[in-house]
Amino acid sequence: MGVVFQPMSLAPASLTESALRRLEECNTKLVNWGPLPQVEVLNAQNRLKVMTALLFVYNQQLSLLHKSALEHLCKVTSKLVTQGFNKPGHHQRSSYGSDSSFVPRLLPRIPVSSQFLLEFMHGIYFAMFNDFSYIATQVLEDVYNRCCFENYSDVLLVTTAYQELSSCQPFRSG
């Protein structure tokens, strides 16, 4: 049998100023992001780190930007995570003078890191609750599918949580 707690048996909790001060003193860990090392040249090794840092700064200013910036952020994110993958029903024209008018031509995949995608997810979350829920929900599915491919469990967790917040049906990979 389990223990049943009665409200009368619980001691009254007093939140005095000294008790709150002790709690604050125990919780002194601050989230600090930076300073980042100086980058003199952009190359393949540091490109994602630099882009992640820039996106972090951009996300800090999202509430100050024009609403259209959210739409553009969603479009960029979708393009970034879907480029290089076949989408059913999407064909690209090979050239206007060729015999076959529709030949699937894939552009190269853009490499992404989980931290880079998590920074994009902050912007997508902001868009979801600031007039762009429809496009943000579509982008969530694109990011979800890319994370399934890349096996980024931390981003999968975030996309699923955001999807639940937006009251949509769970994504189906396929």
Side-chain angles (χ1 to χ4, degrees):
M1 281 199 167
V3 177
V4 177
F5 290 103
Q6 296 294 328
M8 295 303 213
S9 66
L10 298 175
S14 61
L15 290 177
T16 62
E17 187 176 339
S18 62
L20 288 174
R21 189 174 298 123
R22 277 189 308 234
L23 287 173
E24 287 176 355
E25 290 171 0
C26 294
N27 191 12
T28 58
K29 292 182 182 178
L30 295 175
V31 176
N32 193 0
W33 206 78
L36 298 172
Q38 183 175 351
V39 175
E40 306 222 359
V41 176
L42 266 176
N43 55 35
Q45 285 77 30
N46 64 12
R47 180 177 38 223
L48 277 175
K49 288 181 182 176
V50 170
M51 291 301 297
T52 302
L54 289 173
L55 199 51
F56 176 81
V57 172
Y58 179 82
N59 284 336
Q60 301 307 306
Q61 304 300 316
L62 274 178
S63 64
L64 304 174
L65 299 175
H66 192 269
K67 292 277 188 182
S68 65
L70 297 174
E71 182 181 11
H72 294 298
L73 179 72
C74 290
K75 289 178 180 179
V76 165
T77 305
S78 181
K79 180 71 173 169
L80 180 82
V81 298
T82 59
Q83 182 173 305
F85 293 91
N86 278 329
K87 280 183 141 179
H90 287 67
H91 298 287
Q92 295 178 352
R93 194 175 275 282
S94 60
S95 68
Y96 286 102
S98 67
D99 293 333
S100 62
S101 60
F102 290 107
V103 175
R105 187 179 126 248
L106 289 179
L107 296 172
R109 252 178 229 143
I110 300 171
V112 294
S113 67
S114 64
Q115 190 60 41
F116 185 54
L117 289 177
L118 284 173
E119 287 301 326
F120 268 111
M121 292 307 297
H122 289 295
I124 300 306
Y125 180 82
F126 193 82
M128 186 183 305
F129 295 103
N130 286 282
D131 302 334
F132 292 98
S133 62
Y134 179 73
I135 190 170
T137 303
Q138 291 177 330
V139 174
L140 276 177
E141 188 171 351
D142 292 340
V143 173
Y144 178 86
N145 290 332
R146 179 66 184 259
C147 292
C148 286
F149 177 80
E150 299 285 351
N151 200 22
Y152 291 149
S153 59
D154 51 349
V155 187
L156 284 172
L157 182 65
V158 171
T159 56
T160 304
Y162 286 3
Q163 181 268 332
E164 289 294 323
L165 284 173
S166 69
S167 301
C168 294
Q169 296 300 315
F171 298 131
R172 306 282 183 240
S173 61

